[in-house]
Amino acid sequence: MMSSLVLLRNSLLAVHFLAATVWVGGMFYAVVVLRPALNVLEAAPRLQLHMNTLKRFFLVVWHAMPLMLLTGWAMVFSAWGGFASLPPSINAMQGIAVVMAAVFVYVFFGPWQRLRRAIRPGADVIARIRMLIVVNLVLGALAITAGSLGHQW
């Protein structure tokens, strides 16, 4: 029979992985799949589709990001007893995740709000958002790698 502490840790890990998958997978989809496919559209419908997609993606990330951070920190305390005894790989993963969250918050409250409020949204703002999503995608891949390399079986 599984102890309640093991069940809690496993549940936290599952939610953590799901939230990370949604966030990083969403960025991968946006950059590698959606963006190139949008080139078949004229500028106005492409911009509208881009804005609708980003609106939905940001809503999802506003849920996935805090879940990922909170479950990660809950595991820090339930498995390691706090931050002082974390392995370097978990510290790296955590640090990268905090930077990713900061980049996301900047994109949401900076370029995204400018794009939403613009009378004539420009491609330059979309390009800035896309570049920052690429940065976060790379950071996400690094965070996943750091966490995976430090996992002990």
Side-chain angles (χ1 to χ4, degrees):
M1 181 102 194
M2 191 181 307
S3 77
S4 57
L5 182 59
V6 171
L7 181 61
L8 172 66
R9 288 179 182 166
N10 289 346
S11 298
L12 289 170
L13 186 61
V15 172
H16 188 74
F17 283 162
L18 289 170
T21 300
V22 165
W23 189 7
V24 176
M27 290 185 294
F28 183 86
Y29 174 80
V31 170
V32 176
V33 177
L34 179 64
R35 176 61 183 117
L38 291 177
N39 287 333
V40 300
L41 298 175
E42 296 295 324
R46 179 173 55 233
L47 178 63
Q48 190 60 50
L49 182 58
H50 225 141
M51 289 182 67
N52 289 341
T53 303
L54 286 171
K55 179 181 176 183
R56 290 172 187 258
F57 176 67
F58 290 152
L59 178 64
V60 168
V61 174
W62 272 119
H63 292 82
M65 183 228 340
L67 270 176
M68 189 192 67
L69 292 172
L70 292 173
T71 55
W73 291 327
M75 287 186 289
V76 164
F77 286 99
S78 71
W80 286 286
F83 295 108
S85 56
L86 284 179
S89 60
I90 302 301
N91 265 328
M93 178 177 58
Q94 173 187 204
I96 294 167
V98 169
V99 171
M100 288 176 65
V103 169
F104 170 75
V105 169
Y106 168 76
V107 168
F108 185 83
F109 288 108
W112 171 243
Q113 296 306 320
R114 282 194 301 280
L115 182 66
R116 285 185 52 230
R117 292 186 176 111
I119 293 171
R120 295 187 123 174
D124 57 324
V125 181
I126 286 280
R128 175 95 171 128
I129 291 171
R130 182 176 41 248
M131 188 264 311
L132 290 167
I133 289 174
V134 169
V135 166
N136 251 4
L137 176 58
V138 170
L139 289 172
L142 290 173
I144 291 168
T145 302
S148 299
L149 291 177
H151 184 78
Q152 296 181 8
W153 293 95

